[in-house]
Amino acid sequence: MKLYHRLKEARFLSRPNRFIALCEVEGEAAVCHVKNTGRCRELLLPGVAVWLEESRNPARKTRYDLVAVESRGYTVNMDSQAPNLIFAEWARQGGYLPGLTDLKAESVYGASRFDFSFRVGDKQGFVEIKGVTLFDDANMAFFPDVPTQRGVKHIHELIAARQAGYEAGICFVLQREDVVGLAPNDGTDPAFGQALRQAHAAGVRVIAAVCHVTPESCAITHTVPIHL
């Protein structure tokens, strides 16, 4: 899936706060919007190559969006809005569940608004999408990179939906292509790891989908094991 146009390669300099980064573009420093509010400390290192999408809106305060970064010879997509788009394309092609129809974004169940609802046959289901950009030197992925009370709440709602007879799932979209597996990041957010294990035991479908990533595109190619 092609996601971006008008890309420029740049060098990351610093990140004054979670919303902006300073990058060197064509020999000049530019303030860029970071399309990911996670820490991303392992990715955004001074001097690394990054890719910026130039905005078509001349009234914007920042001219560029930082959307991807080079990490250990691979491109990592950093756009937190991309995983839902990538999943939707993959699911509509039959990658998530055979026979899936009626995929709809932003569906309410209980006290949560899930990323997608869908139907398989006569059964309705819900799925939450989690973009993953935290990887170790052994090519393992971890989630989350910051504590997420909202994520834990959504997992408990998915468990309730599953117990009520709905299909329910969590799809981790791994935004680098050499990843071999995913595990909950218990050191950062033990509550999320505990909730994820409870969801798996309750029959919530938990999968990790690996993407082929280029600076301008990203698409799911296969799944890898979840280590709970």
Side-chain angles (χ1 to χ4, degrees), residues 132-207:
V132 182
T133 59
L134 177 61
F135 313 101
D136 69 8
D137 292 339
N139 301 334
M140 278 288 296
F142 296 89
F143 187 90
D145 70 345
V146 294
T148 171
Q149 292 182 352
R150 180 172 178 269
V152 173
K153 173 178 173 288
H154 280 160
I155 291 178
H156 288 308
E157 289 285 353
L158 285 169
I159 293 171
R162 182 63 181 148
Q163 291 172 340
Y166 294 91
E167 293 287 341
I170 305 167
C171 180
F172 294 93
V173 177
L174 314 183
Q175 293 165 264
R176 196 178 88 182
E177 64 183 76
D178 63 331
V179 187
V180 298
L182 175 134
N185 192 1
D186 292 317
T188 294
D189 192 347
F192 184 89
Q194 180 182 20
L196 188 65
R197 294 178 180 94
Q198 290 171 347
H200 181 263
V204 174
R205 189 167 187 256
V206 182
I207 64 170

Side-chain angles (χ1 to χ4, degrees), residues 91-92 97-104 117-121 123:
R92 290 190 174 109
L97 278 174
L100 180 147
T101 61
D102 200 25
L103 187 72
K104 295 179 180 177
S117 65
F118 59 88
R119 298 195 73 85
V120 175
K123 183 175 283 192

Side-chain angles (χ1 to χ4, degrees), residues 71-82:
S71 177
R72 298 199 294 269
Y74 288 90
T75 302
V76 179
N77 182 282
M78 282 190 52
D79 182 354
S80 61
Q81 297 175 2

